[in-house]
Amino acid sequence: MHDLAGRVVVDVHYHAGPDLYRRRLTSAGAGRAYAEVGGWVVLKSHLTSTAARAWEVRQEGLPVSGSLVLNELVGGVRPQAVEQAVYAHGPDTPARLVVHLPTLVGPAHTSRLRRTSFHPLLDTDRWRTGRVLDADGRLRRDVREVLRAARDLPVAVATGHCDREAALRVVDEAVRLDVPRLVLTHATHPMSGFSSADLADLAQVPGLYVEITALTLLLGHRDISHLGEVVRAHPRVVFSSDLGQPDQPDVKEWLDVSEQWFRTAGLTSQEIRAITWANPVALLTP
């Protein structure tokens, strides 16, 4: 089971518990759900690294890899935190660890989701930090250090909850440092703010991947025609779920709904295979 080849789908963004909020499945439950549909899943949590959890679940033969979100709650933006997660992810993983820049940044984003805190003592606003840019609009030193470390580690860096301005500064620095893989996290969500034209302008940036999520469409932030625009604007689009919420579709329902979206958006079978499998595999494969 420790192989991304031959999968039906590779989902690089799925929330399993424990997390800031209650989730539909545990790590093992998510592994089983994706095994049942012939997929691979990257577990994400805003609360804690999923690297060790993914290693443990993978020992049971389940198709799971992990990620780390560099929130202060987890230890902050530190190369040491990235290295520790790489070690915990295990030497046998077929997939790079995904390292997200902070998601608990600035004022809280107004979500349309109904959410229940995972722990009664957890106050997420207490852990919010500033943007990844300093007062002069430059990347903070700790962010540059993480990008420098990512150049030499089996990781893929994602922009987390950066807004457009901050994400562009991250892209510039990643190019300067020759970071091999960078993901614009849910790039066209209002929080991130990229347009299809923006993504077309970034099409020639080496190693840059663009994520569009099912949740962005499910919550009505973007429509199905927009999905087609994004896929045709950039050569390395990754379609992920960003699901795991108890009141959102389960894995099989997500795949069924996605097939309908793809047909409505007029995507070819080659484009569908690229965004659901080939591009995610290229992003994750060491």
Side-chain angles (χ1 to χ4, degrees), residues 73-243:
L73 192 57
V74 184
V77 183
R78 299 170 61 243
Q80 297 92 328
V82 178
E83 287 194 43
Q84 187 276 341
V86 167
Y87 305 149
H89 204 215
D92 63 333
T93 176
R96 288 173 176 255
L97 181 82
V98 180
V99 176
H100 293 264
L101 293 177
T103 56
L104 291 175
V105 293
H109 169 70
T110 302
S111 176
R112 298 179 183 178
L113 293 167
R114 296 192 302 272
R115 301 186 293 195
T116 303
S117 179
F118 175 73
H119 196 289
L121 296 180
L122 178 58
D123 176 6
T124 54
D125 288 336
R126 173 188 167 200
W127 293 99
R128 293 193 176 278
T129 59
R131 301 166 71 214
V132 301
L133 304 180
D134 63 21
D136 296 320
R138 295 177 299 213
L139 277 186
R140 293 179 354 213
R141 178 179 177 181
D142 54 0
V143 177
R144 298 198 307 271
E145 289 175 348
V146 163
L147 290 174
R148 189 172 293 109
R151 181 179 55 193
D152 303 315
L153 291 169
V155 303
V157 178
T159 54
H161 286 182
C162 284
D163 59 23
R164 181 180 179 278
E165 178 188 6
L168 288 173
R169 299 290 77 74
V170 173
V171 170
D172 290 343
E173 185 69 2
V175 170
R176 189 183 75 82
L177 293 173
D178 199 25
V179 176
R181 291 169 176 85
L182 180 70
V183 187
L184 294 178
T185 311
H186 38 56
T188 61
H189 188 284
M191 186 191 319
S192 306
F194 284 90
S195 67
S196 298
D198 291 330
L199 301 178
D201 290 341
L202 294 169
Q204 302 306 313
V205 177
L208 181 65
Y209 291 77
V210 169
E211 180 196 35
I212 185 167
T213 74
L215 187 62
T216 298
L217 274 68
L218 287 166
L219 295 181
H221 294 305
R222 294 290 181 263
D223 60 25
I224 297 171
S225 64
H226 175 77
L227 172 62
E229 292 173 5
V230 172
V231 171
R232 297 181 182 105
H234 196 281
R236 290 174 298 280
V237 172
V238 172
F239 181 71
S240 70
S241 71
D242 194 10
L243 295 178

Side-chain angles (χ1 to χ4, degrees), residues 50-66:
T50 66
R53 289 154 53 187
W55 176 86
E56 185 171 3
V57 171
R58 211 163 49 248
Q59 305 317 299
E60 300 179 20
L62 295 173
V64 173
S65 56

